[in-house]
Amino acid sequence: GQSLEQPSEVTAVEGAIVQINCTYQTSGFYGLSWYQQHDGGAPTFLSYNALDGLEETGRFSSFLSRSDSYGYLLLQELQMKDSASYFCAVRVGNFNKFYFGSGTKLNVKP
Amino acid sequence: GAGVSQSPSNKVTEKGKDVELRCDPISGHTALYWYRQSLGQGLEFLIYFQGNSAPDKSGLPSDRFSAERTGGSVSTLTIQRTQQEDSAVYLCASNPGPSNYGYTFGSGTRLTVV
């Protein structure tokens, strides 16, 4: 089976930097994705990492270490609109199927 | 269409009744997924369709759940003899196919079993 761990909640101040960690245990790991979900909304795709290292897309960056079974999402220059839940998801096997963590609720305060 | 469309957006049903949830994926997307999200929880994988291949049903929680995809496009998730623990938001997602790893989700169907 698959096991993913994320902090349940994180609070940060507008303009700050926050890191949301994800550790996973799974067999047949192929990659790690991140999604953002605002309250009452649909999850939206942020990033996918298959290889070790940091990938940057604007204010958001995602990191993966396959040897440590660990990844994180880094959000810079936090804005109020970044308040949402963030889910990591692992791709298992050579299929396009992902298993999701329980999510981290990010609260951005002024 | 421009996005993934799900209907109905809300469904209240009595325990023991059958329900059908519909998903209309993005045109041309060969992969379609159903997930379930209980209040404040993560997304639970249910079923995955890829092109004309046999669906991956490994996430269906019981034989009361079934899904089909007609013509490689629209999908229907059916829950028979609904129970209160089936109450959740049912999310559908589609994806262009292999080598593309981002899902586009619909807004979901909120199912309440009373």
Side-chain angles (χ1 to χ4, degrees):
Chain A
Q2 299 76 35
S3 172
L4 294 92
E5 289 193 14
Q6 306 178 231
S8 58
E9 194 163 352
V10 172
T11 299
V13 177
E14 195 175 13
I17 299 172
V18 72
Q19 179 174 310
I20 300 174
N21 298 321
C22 174
T23 57
Y24 58 87
Q25 286 187 317
T26 185
S27 56
F29 174 84
Y30 270 68
L32 185 73
S33 284
W34 289 92
Y35 284 77
Q36 177 191 62
Q37 185 180 33
H38 287 99
D39 283 348
T44 57
F45 173 74
L46 294 177
S47 66
Y48 174 72
N49 292 63
L51 303 175
D52 286 359
L54 185 71
E55 296 205 4
E56 301 181 41
T57 308
R59 295 188 297 113
F60 292 8
S61 301
S62 56
F63 172 83
L64 175 65
S65 169
R66 296 174 68 111
S67 59
D68 294 324
S69 298
Y70 164 74
Y72 65 74
L73 181 69
L74 189 74
L75 296 83
Q76 303 184 73
E77 301 171 18
L78 279 174
Q79 302 176 9
M80 297 298 293
K81 68 178 181 180
D82 298 330
S83 292
S85 291
Y86 292 84
F87 295 88
C88 61
V90 292
R91 178 178 167 225
V92 176
N94 191 18
F95 312 105
N96 209 355
K97 181 172 82 174
F98 287 79
Y99 291 92
F100 284 72
S102 298
T104 298
K105 186 172 177 59
L106 172 63
N107 302 302
V108 180
K109 297 191 171 182
Chain B
V4 177
S5 178
Q6 292 188 244
S7 61
S9 54
N10 279 283
K11 176 72 176 178
V12 180
T13 190
E14 292 182 353
K15 179 180 170 183
K17 300 280 191 183
D18 297 353
V19 294
E20 285 190 352
L21 313 180
R22 176 187 169 105
C23 173
D24 206 336
I26 292 173
S27 178
H29 280 195
T30 61
L32 185 148
Y33 309 80
W34 284 97
Y35 284 81
R36 176 169 74 173
Q37 186 174 32
S38 301
L39 188 63
Q41 299 300 309
L43 283 70
E44 176 189 5
F45 168 76
L46 297 178
I47 188 168
Y48 162 35
F49 297 89
Q50 174 59 62
N52 295 321
S53 302
D56 177 345
K57 304 179 182 180
S58 59
L60 295 178
S62 77
D63 59 8
R64 296 186 296 105
F65 288 72
S66 63
E68 63 176 18
R69 188 178 185 192
T70 54
S73 181
V74 172
S75 177
T76 302
L77 177 69
T78 301
I79 309 173
Q80 295 179 310
R81 305 181 302 282
T82 52
Q83 321 234 326
Q84 288 188 327
E85 60 261 31
D86 299 335
S87 296
V89 175
Y90 288 81
L91 290 161
C92 176
S94 71
N95 172 279
S99 302
N100 189 308
Y101 307 115
Y103 292 177
T104 301
F105 280 90
S107 298
T109 294
R110 180 175 298 279
L111 176 66
T112 304
V113 182
V114 297

